[in-house]
Each structure stands twice: as C-alpha cells, then as structure tokens.
Amino acid sequence: MKRKVHEYEAEGIVVEYEIPRCIHAAECVRGLPEVFDPEARPWARPEHATPEAVAQVVERCPAGALRYRRTDGGAPEAPPAGNSVRVAPDGPLYLAGRIRLELPGGEVIEETRMALCRCGVSKHKPFCDNTHVERRFADPGLAVEHRLGPAADGGGGALTVRLAPNGPILVEGPVEVVTADAGSAAGEKGALCRCGASAKKPYCDGAHKEIGFEAD
C-alpha cells in the first residue's frame, strides 16, 4: 500500500501526517489550535507548543492519521491497556490498542490507533476515508446478540487484524467490541463486516457474498 506521509519537525518532536487516513475528526484542531490550523500553511506547526503537549493531542487522533516521533528522548506513544474496536454511528470502526494489521500484499502495520472502513466504499481500503458521509451510509452501530470466540492459540497481547479476500475484517487476540449504545462483547476471535450490507452489523453475516463485494 502506497502511504503518503508528510512530516512536520520541531525541536524534540516530529509529527507525521498520513493524508489519506485523515477523516477530519478535528481532535487536533480542538486540542491545540495554535499548532494545528487547517487555514495556515504549513497547517501543522509543532514548534508552537511543547513536545509533551503536541504528543498528547496527537494521541487523540482516532484514525491514526497523526503520529509522532520524539527526538528529545521522550517516551513513544504507549498503547491502551486493552484492545478495543469502537463502532461509530454511520461511520467507521475505531481500533485502539496493540494493533497488528496484516495487509494482503504482505505489508504489516503496527500502530495503536486506526479507523477501518465498514461502509464498503472507501477509496483507501481497509482504512476509512470519509466516503461514508457522501454515500450516506446509515447504521446506528447498536449492539446485536453476538459472541466473540476464543483464539485458536490461546490469544496474546496484540490484536491481529487480517482482511478476508472480498470479505470481512478478521480479528484475533484479546479485544472488546463496543457499540454506540455502550453494548460490548469481549473475546479473542471474530469477523467484522466491511461490505456495509450485513444485517448483523458490526459483525459479518456473509452478505458480502450475496452482493458481490469487491475489496479492490
């Protein structure tokens, strides 16, 4: 996967911005408007705050479009204590934790935050690119009766994420799926819908086969 990443450097920190993954959650703008200003050029100016303040706000980016590297000996971003998949109403799946995303071409992305498409029409699959807004994807993200299974090998600390060919998002490892109405299901193995057609969203029910879903 071609990754378009811009870097903004200041004393003590480098901010990385992966443009296609930005879904304009605006946590950065609200958190440090003196640093992150969409009307300014460059739009990110980490020299306007301390490395600690910049790092704290970058970690609030739910899509993982913003990341940072400390060059002053400061600690790197620490993952949350547990892995979670949060279902956004009419929007993506927000993953947080020790995430290991294995892409079909063999590339592995290990991060603490990412937003994955669940409407089926993102142009940057498996990541969300906000296409669900223009396509008016509608799903409230409410809890449905479902249980996650145990991992075949007993699980581990990281959450491994794989993409079934033209099929669901496969997760394996300790994880809690949290729906928009605060429902939750915990386990170590499951299949999450990414075609947008499942009647049991956020879980896969095989609808991708019926609609001929193609994941590009």
Side-chain angles (χ1 to χ4, degrees):
M1 172 179 288
K2 186 176 181 180
R3 307 182 72 183
K4 186 177 182 180
V5 180
H6 287 191
E7 294 189 350
Y8 305 90
E9 185 172 0
E11 185 175 355
I13 195 167
V14 177
V15 174
E16 299 178 347
Y17 177 47
E18 190 168 344
I19 298 173
R21 289 175 58 180
C22 180
I23 58 175
H24 307 293
E27 291 290 345
C28 56
V29 177
R30 287 190 292 269
L32 277 177
E34 65 272 30
V35 172
F36 301 101
D37 181 356
E39 302 302 320
R41 292 295 179 269
W43 83 280
R45 296 170 290 178
E47 66 273 14
H48 288 187
T50 65
E52 289 77 12
V54 173
Q56 288 176 7
V57 169
V58 166
E59 290 183 14
R60 287 164 50 179
C61 172
L66 285 175
R67 301 180 293 275
Y68 66 86
R69 303 194 313 271
R70 295 291 293 267
T71 57
D72 59 356
E77 180 175 354
N83 305 316
S84 65
V85 175
R86 182 165 57 88
V87 185
D90 306 327
L93 298 171
Y94 287 118
L95 278 62
R98 290 178 55 194
I99 311 301
R100 177 184 170 87
L101 173 62
E102 299 181 358
L103 297 176
E107 181 182 0
V108 175
I109 299 175
E110 296 188 27
E111 294 179 1
T112 61
R113 297 167 281 116
M114 59 182 64
L116 301 185
C117 172
R118 72 183 186 101
C119 71
V121 293
S122 170
K123 302 176 185 67
H124 192 57
K125 297 183 187 70
F127 298 107
C128 173
D129 68 354
N130 254 8
T131 304
H132 59 271
V133 177
E134 60 184 68
R135 294 295 184 92
R136 297 184 180 181
F137 173 67
D139 177 71
L142 305 181
V144 297
E145 186 176 349
H146 189 86
R147 291 186 179 181
L148 299 176
D153 60 359
L159 179 65
T160 298
V161 180
R162 301 183 179 92
L163 307 171
N166 299 324
I169 298 168
L170 306 175
V171 294
E172 186 162 2
V175 65
E176 181 181 22
V177 176
V178 182
T179 51
D181 55 353
S184 67
E188 295 188 334
K189 192 172 186 179
L192 304 173
C193 174
R194 66 170 176 142
C195 73
S198 172
K200 295 184 177 180
K201 291 189 280 289
Y203 305 101
C204 174
D205 68 353
H208 55 278
K209 298 178 181 178
E210 298 176 11
I211 67 171
F213 174 66
E214 294 184 1
D216 304 330

